Amino acid sequence: MVSTPLQSDFSPIERLDGQPDSGLILLCDHASNVLPADYGTLGLPPAQLERHIGYDIGARAVTHALSARLRAPALLTRFSRLLIDPNRGADDPTLVMRLSDGALVPGNARADHAEIARRIERFHRPYHRAIGELVNEKLARGIVPVLFSVHSFTPVWRGVPRPWHVTLLWDKDPRIARPLIEAFKRDAALVVGDNEPYDGALEGDTLYQHATLRGLPHALIELRQDLIGTQEGAQDWADRIARALSPLIIDPAIRRIEHWGSRTGPQIQPSDR
């Protein structure tokens, strides 16, 4: 639901506490469809903000449930991706979308460089600063954390059904994604995707900035929205993910700094492998 908090009361980040010695950091880039009061609805009918263009449906509920099950800290956004997309680099041309899945966004039509800079400073940068600070806190304690990002995708795209129930997105570091893919494939009822329906190699995205460049183990999970759109579905998938992820986040062979490089952007030398 769209909220209209006072501008001075608006916080761009939701934080969930976990155990201080947790080896996992949960992230949810598109957790909310909320817009601060001074942006109204960006000129959109409120119903549009309830669609997937406003946020990743079900992702917040799954992240909350995972945080509780694994006692892991989590950072989630509290603003709509239509305002600014935190899962893009600050210079990405899709940072502020003027057209999203057929919906024109009037409030973004005249967003010039100055306005985009304001949104970066108010919403985008605080989220990424919080992630960096949490990673630094873990490393200062001698803990190499796993970064795990929760997203969701539509069951149908442009009239074509998407068959996957769950997919893992990753770049070159396979330490989390490959074992999770294999774990989910053990359930014959699931259709499991590998870098579907998107590619996990995106220069400047959240995991590129905070995991790939720093050599931290990581993966992004995509869950089909019709499976997690209810509280029951979100809880069910949190259970599935927790079972598959639990052994990985305590494995010292995985939780090491290793630079695997990237399939896009500056190539990082794998000097630590």
Side-chain angles (χ1 to χ4, degrees):
M1 181 176 293
V2 180
S3 111
T4 55
L6 295 174
Q7 180 176 350
S8 59
D9 293 340
F10 189 84
S11 171
I13 306 164
E14 180 182 8
R15 303 169 189 263
L16 304 179
D17 293 329
Q19 290 185 326
D21 60 352
S22 172
L24 174 67
I25 295 174
L26 296 168
L27 303 173
C28 193
D29 299 324
H30 301 143
S32 175
N33 63 352
V34 170
L35 292 165
D38 48 321
Y39 283 94
T41 63
L42 291 174
L44 289 167
Q48 289 283 16
L49 291 167
E50 300 293 336
R51 297 176 57 215
H52 71 95
I53 64 173
Y55 69 126
D56 277 1
I57 295 166
R60 180 178 181 271
V62 172
T63 305
H64 270 252
L66 270 178
S67 176
R69 283 160 177 72
L70 299 176
R71 299 180 180 179
L75 293 169
L76 308 88
T77 58
R78 293 191 64 249
F79 55 89
S80 173
R81 66 197 300 174
L82 289 175
L83 186 66
I84 190 166
D85 193 335
N87 195 35
R88 297 292 184 272
D91 59 351
D92 192 296
T94 65
L95 189 65
V96 174
M97 296 290 286
R98 292 164 173 79
L99 176 67
S100 183
D101 192 19
L104 290 168
V105 187
N108 291 345
R110 294 186 177 88
D112 57 14
H113 291 299
E115 170 58 23
I116 291 172
R118 279 191 289 270
R119 296 188 194 185
I120 290 172
E121 189 61 31
R122 240 182 107 184
F123 308 105
H124 189 278
R125 186 163 290 132
Y127 178 61
H128 287 281
R129 184 185 301 121
I131 297 171
E133 289 172 351
L134 184 53
V135 168
N136 288 341
E137 288 173 14
K138 295 290 185 184
L139 293 175
R141 294 173 59 92
I143 298 169
V144 176
V146 172
L147 271 61
F148 191 72
S149 187
V150 180
H151 288 246
S152 68
F153 64 95
T154 59
V156 177
W157 180 249
R158 295 181 179 175
V160 179
R162 288 166 157 174
W164 314 281
H165 299 93
V166 57
T167 83
L168 273 297
L169 308 191
W170 56 292
D171 191 346
K172 291 184 73 173
D173 185 343
R175 289 177 287 172
I176 301 299
R178 279 184 177 164
L180 288 179
I181 289 169
E182 293 307 313
F184 290 130
K185 281 184 174 180
R186 294 187 193 112
D187 184 341
L190 294 181
V191 179
V192 183
D194 181 347
N195 274 325
E196 298 283 1
Y198 316 109
D199 193 331
L202 179 61
E203 183 180 356
D205 72 1
T206 299
L207 290 181
Y208 181 90
Q209 292 183 53
H210 300 286
T212 299
L213 292 179
R214 303 189 72 170
L216 302 178
H218 61 282
L220 186 155
I221 195 166
E222 289 271 5
L223 299 162
R224 210 172 68 198
Q225 290 170 357
D226 58 317
L227 304 177
I228 59 170
T230 64
Q231 191 62 30
E232 181 181 13
Q235 295 288 333
D236 174 61
W237 271 96
D239 287 338
R240 293 169 183 257
I241 297 166
R243 287 194 296 269
L245 194 55
S246 292
L248 305 180
I249 61 178
I250 61 172
D251 186 345
I254 289 175
R255 282 191 27 222
R256 302 186 301 188
I257 293 177
E258 296 182 357
H259 291 287
W260 288 78
S262 174
R263 291 184 279 118
T264 184
Q267 297 303 301
I268 307 153
Q269 295 302 315
S271 57
D272 295 327
R273 281 197 286 127

